[in-house]
Amino acid sequence: MQTGTRWLGVRLDTIGALTVFISGISSLAAAAADPMNFGPSLVGLAISYAMSTASTLKFVVRGVADLEMAMNSMERTIYYSEVDVEESDGSVIPREDWPEEGNIIYENVSARYASDLDAVLSKVSVHFKAGQKIGICGRTGSGKSSLTLTLFRIIDMFEGNILIDGINIGMLPLKELRKRLAIIPQDPVLFTGTIRFNLDPLGEKSDDEIWQALEIAQLKAVVTGLEKGLDSEVSEGGENFSVGQRQLFCLGRAFLRKTKILVMDEATASIDYETDCILQQVVATAFQDRTVLTIAHRVSTIMDSDCILVLSKGKVAEHGTPEALLAKENGIFASLVAENK
């Protein structure tokens, strides 16, 4: 920014100096050619106007740049006002306790991020049984995150169906679908407000339930040590807590949702090994009866899963228990484990 400003200033000063020089030379030449009609006063007037023009040049350029930036903002506003809104209505209202089991079936699912882009998932068919702990892995760009985003209908699923406990999620209202699932993202998100608000933004849970969630997330001692307890303030982005603590707050939030399906989208990618162990221990105990889909950043975190799904170029490459996949000669999962040793 500073370098660009200096670069522009030097060139504008150069242009201004050239303008004054050319004006002075041309005025003197005109005065020498016709001294009767072009006297010294007009020469001085021409040079002073040229100097005024040179000093005003910077303000003109800055004004044009500001106008361009303002019009860019207007252009973006118009563009986003015309973006198609995702379909939020549905023809089926799920039962109050849905999903009761957490059974997930992908039937020939193909998905893409926009209608003019290539598919990131191609004809994926897989069955995740209720209560299973599923590890999802693969190379970068294999479609791991895209697979879980289809559960929330965040990306365009243009072919196939996803059934959760026998109900096609494509027929559900978006609000109903998304509030029945829980996710722990890779980058922990905390909002400006109180700890209570961050864990229970809708105010539906009692203090005892919130403290229980904090105890399970091993944050009870941290919050108890704060002067205002649950009413302690969280700064913007949760900057007054460490990254690991923020991730554990997200874990407590997910536990409070009481949903049968939990998605962990590389939740351990940005935290230390100790917090990773805490997270895995809590998932193995507090979420024992829930279906947990874990996108692996460290392959070691999914070695205890009930089954492993390996994706490659948006397709199912391998699916089975960790033991069976490790025993597979030249298998993708076996090679990933070998690389991480």
Side-chain angles (χ1 to χ4, degrees):
M1 177 68 179
Q2 197 71 16
T3 303
T5 303
R6 296 281 185 178
W7 180 90
L8 181 62
V10 169
R11 277 150 183 79
L12 289 178
D13 287 339
T14 303
I15 292 172
L18 287 174
T19 302
V20 174
F21 176 74
I22 294 170
S23 176
I25 293 297
S26 59
S27 300
L28 290 173
D34 188 8
M36 296 298 297
N37 296 319
F38 205 92
S41 59
L42 290 179
V43 174
L45 182 64
I47 294 176
S48 75
Y49 270 117
M51 294 178 65
S52 175
T53 302
S55 62
T56 309
L57 192 58
K58 292 183 180 180
F59 296 100
V60 173
V61 173
R62 181 178 291 276
V64 172
D66 289 341
L67 177 62
E68 176 67 22
M69 287 190 291
M71 295 311 294
N72 285 341
S73 300
M74 180 61 69
E75 183 182 12
R76 292 191 187 100
T77 301
I78 294 173
Y79 172 78
Y80 285 112
S81 67
E82 296 174 351
V83 170
D84 294 335
V85 179
E86 59 184 355
E87 185 62 42
S88 60
D89 297 330
S91 58
V92 175
I93 302 298
R95 302 175 293 274
E96 189 64 31
D97 57 349
W98 179 88
E100 307 95 332
E101 298 177 352
N103 196 52
I104 305 172
I105 300 176
Y106 280 77
E107 295 180 342
N108 231 19
V109 172
S110 296
R112 57 195 173 196
Y113 282 88
S115 58
D116 58 339
L117 297 178
D118 295 334
V120 291
L121 294 177
S122 180
K123 299 185 181 302
V124 173
S125 295
V126 66
H127 181 194
F128 301 137
K129 296 180 181 179
Q132 276 191 329
K133 305 297 179 285
I134 302 101
I136 304 173
C137 62
R139 305 287 182 185
T140 300
S142 60
K144 304 185 296 296
S145 295
S146 301
L147 184 75
T148 57
L149 290 179
T150 56
L151 278 179
F152 296 88
R153 284 169 49 194
I154 292 176
I155 62 176
D156 177 26
M157 191 175 68
F158 63 91
E159 185 181 2
N161 299 302
I162 299 177
L163 306 178
I164 297 180
D165 285 355
I167 296 180
N168 186 347
I169 66 171
M171 303 174 67
L172 300 176
L174 272 182
K175 183 178 179 181
E176 289 296 325
L177 170 64
R178 292 174 181 174
K179 78 177 185 180
R180 306 295 181 93
L181 307 176
I183 183 170
I184 302 176
Q186 178 178 349
D187 299 316
V189 178
L190 292 183
F191 305 98
T192 303
T194 62
I195 292 176
R196 186 196 308 275
F197 170 76
N198 273 275
L199 292 175
D200 181 30
L202 300 179
E204 298 174 341
K205 306 297 181 181
S206 65
D207 283 7
D208 290 340
E209 290 176 302
I210 295 175
W211 280 114
Q212 182 187 9
L214 288 172
E215 184 174 7
I216 288 173
Q218 300 194 26
L219 286 171
K220 186 175 182 179
V222 174
V223 178
T224 302
L226 299 175
E227 185 178 350
K228 296 182 180 179
L230 293 178
D231 294 320
S232 299
E233 289 294 321
V234 177
S235 63
E236 183 176 356
E239 293 296 329
N240 53 335
F241 293 100
S242 68
V243 176
Q245 288 174 330
R246 278 180 259 166
Q247 196 65 277
L248 293 176
F249 273 118
C250 291
L251 177 65
R253 183 193 298 154
F255 178 80
L256 278 175
R257 297 290 296 275
K258 303 294 184 185
T259 63
K260 282 292 183 179
I261 297 175
L262 171 67
V263 176
M264 296 176 61
D265 187 0
E266 300 194 54
T268 63
S270 57
I271 59 178
D272 58 88
Y273 180 75
E274 184 178 348
T275 308
D276 185 3
C277 293
I278 294 174
L279 197 63
Q280 299 303 326
Q281 181 183 357
V282 171
V283 170
T285 53
F287 296 88
Q288 187 174 7
D289 59 338
R290 307 186 193 186
T291 305
V292 180
L293 279 66
T294 304
I295 297 176
H297 176 71
R298 305 182 182 102
V299 180
S300 59
T301 61
I302 59 172
M303 292 301 295
D304 295 330
S305 301
D306 298 320
C307 72
I308 302 293
L309 176 68
V310 182
L311 295 174
S312 177
K313 297 181 180 179
K315 298 180 180 180
V316 176
E318 296 176 356
H319 185 214
T321 62
E323 295 77 13
L325 296 185
L326 284 173
K328 192 174 181 180
E329 189 175 354
N330 298 323
I332 298 177
F333 181 69
S335 66
L336 290 174
V337 173
E339 289 174 4
N340 281 269
K341 284 185 178 180

